[in-house]
């Protein structure tokens, strides 16, 4: 499976600021995803990062709040904009390494974000 | 009702015990079933992947799917302290598109006591 590196691993940010999270994969992958993991809740898909086009957002998530870039097949960024304490969470980058749509996902170690 | 229900635990067992972790689901279209293990401060790691009904065994781990009851299980034999982690079930349907969305359970926290 692919090696997925996320930076930063954790951060403490002030309300109203923005944070950009980077995800680097050691091989080219077709599908990259961004998830949020909050205590006591299931992993929630934020968006699918599409290479060369705009990301596809899930219900409840919008581009202005979570802009995503995917300049190539090995790299993506997620920005959490105008942060509030409710954005405190773990943000996970995920990839699908197989060609089939039913191939399982693999995850990075996440970015633990605390907003004060 | 959530699409996937999972008992959050925590579940505490002595070393060597057989552990049973379970999820129920409501969407009869789900065909692909996965178990992920997540250690503290790490990302989820794929443990088991099964398609449709039946059993799959990998070492001390057995995944079981009962589609008629909409119920999946993960059994861990001879549990070890290193098995202490959160276990997440996940599943998806096949709608023929490029992306089949994974739906996750909330995870069960397991502690194996030495």
């Amino acid at each position: 499976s692919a090696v997925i590196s996320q930076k930063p691993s954790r951060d403490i940010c002030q309300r109203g600021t923005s944070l950009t999270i980077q995800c680097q994969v050691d091989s080219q992958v077709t599908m990259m995803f961004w998830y949020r993991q909050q205590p006591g809740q299931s992993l929630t898909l934020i968006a699918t990062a599409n290479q060369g086009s705009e990301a596809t957002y899930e219900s409840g998530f919008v581009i202005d709040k979570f802009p995503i870039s995917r300049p190539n097949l090995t790299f993506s960024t997620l920005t959490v904009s105008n942060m509030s304490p409710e954005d405190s969470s773990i943000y996970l980058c995920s990839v699908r390494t197989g060609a089939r749509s039913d191939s399982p996902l693999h995850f990075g170690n996440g970015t633990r974000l605390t907003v004060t | 009702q959530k699409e996937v229900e999972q008992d959050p635990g925590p579940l505490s067992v002595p070393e060597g015990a057989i552990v049973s972790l379970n999820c129920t689901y409501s969407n009869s279209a789900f065909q692909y079933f996965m178990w992920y293990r997540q250690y503290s401060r790490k990302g989820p790691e794929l443990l088991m992947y099964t398609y449709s009904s039946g059993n799959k065994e990998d070492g001390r781990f057995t995944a079981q799917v009962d589609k008629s009851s909409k119920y999946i299980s993960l059994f861990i034999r001879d549990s070890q302290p290193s098995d202490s982690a959160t276990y997440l079930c996940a599943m998806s349907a096949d709608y023929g598109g490029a992306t089949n969305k994974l739906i996750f359970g909330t995870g069960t926290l397991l502690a194996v006591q030495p």
Side-chain angles (χ1 to χ4, degrees):
Chain A
S1 61
V3 175
I4 305 166
S5 303
Q6 262 186 258
K7 287 195 295 187
S9 59
R10 61 191 309 153
D11 208 339
I12 301 173
C13 300
Q14 290 199 343
R15 182 195 301 259
T17 62
S18 298
L19 175 72
T20 296
I21 302 167
Q22 299 181 3
C23 178
Q24 179 75 54
V25 190
D26 70 342
S27 59
Q28 293 186 342
V29 294
T30 307
M31 309 300 296
M32 292 182 78
F33 308 90
W34 287 97
Y35 279 83
R36 184 171 72 182
Q37 186 175 31
Q38 295 181 310
Q41 297 186 27
S42 54
L43 267 75
T44 303
L45 179 63
I46 297 172
T48 301
N50 301 308
Q51 193 267 326
S53 64
E54 204 167 274
T56 304
Y57 289 84
E58 296 297 308
S59 175
F61 297 97
V62 295
I63 188 171
D64 290 345
K65 177 66 176 176
F66 298 101
I68 287 171
S69 79
R70 176 100 190 264
N72 56 52
L73 292 176
T74 64
F75 186 78
S76 178
T77 67
L78 168 75
T79 298
V80 187
S81 303
N82 188 24
M83 288 184 283
S84 67
E86 292 70 37
D87 296 318
S88 297
S89 187
I90 299 172
Y91 292 86
L92 292 154
C93 173
S94 174
V95 304
R96 178 168 279 140
T97 54
R100 294 164 56 98
S101 61
D102 59 288
S103 301
L105 298 183
H106 300 274
F107 290 85
N109 281 329
T111 296
R112 186 177 298 265
L113 171 62
T114 302
V115 183
T116 60
Chain B
Q1 182 189 7
K2 291 182 182 177
E3 277 193 284
V4 179
E5 299 275 2
Q6 184 174 9
D7 187 337
L11 181 61
S12 182
V13 301
E15 183 175 353
I18 296 174
V19 176
S20 172
L21 304 166
N22 312 294
C23 287
T24 59
Y25 61 94
S26 57
N27 188 347
S28 58
F30 286 148
Q31 297 184 68
Y32 306 101
F33 303 93
M34 283 138 272
W35 286 95
Y36 286 83
R37 177 175 61 194
Q38 186 173 21
Y39 291 115
S40 180
R41 303 186 184 282
K42 296 289 187 182
E45 167 196 12
L46 181 66
L47 201 56
M48 298 287 279
Y49 174 61
T50 55
Y51 170 72
S52 195
S53 284
N55 293 359
K56 183 175 181 179
E57 190 173 317
D58 184 1
R60 296 184 295 110
F61 299 89
T62 299
Q64 201 171 75
V65 175
D66 182 348
K67 291 190 70 179
S68 62
S69 301
K70 297 189 181 71
Y71 189 89
I72 69 170
S73 300
L74 177 70
F75 298 96
I76 306 174
R77 291 185 300 281
D78 187 25
S79 56
Q80 303 294 309
S82 58
D83 295 326
S84 298
T86 297
Y87 290 80
L88 306 163
C89 64
M91 49 199 79
S92 69
D94 184 0
Y95 297 116
T99 59
N100 289 320
K101 187 175 170 182
L102 267 189
I103 307 298
F104 285 84
T106 52
T108 299
L109 178 61
L110 171 67
V112 181
Q113 307 297 334

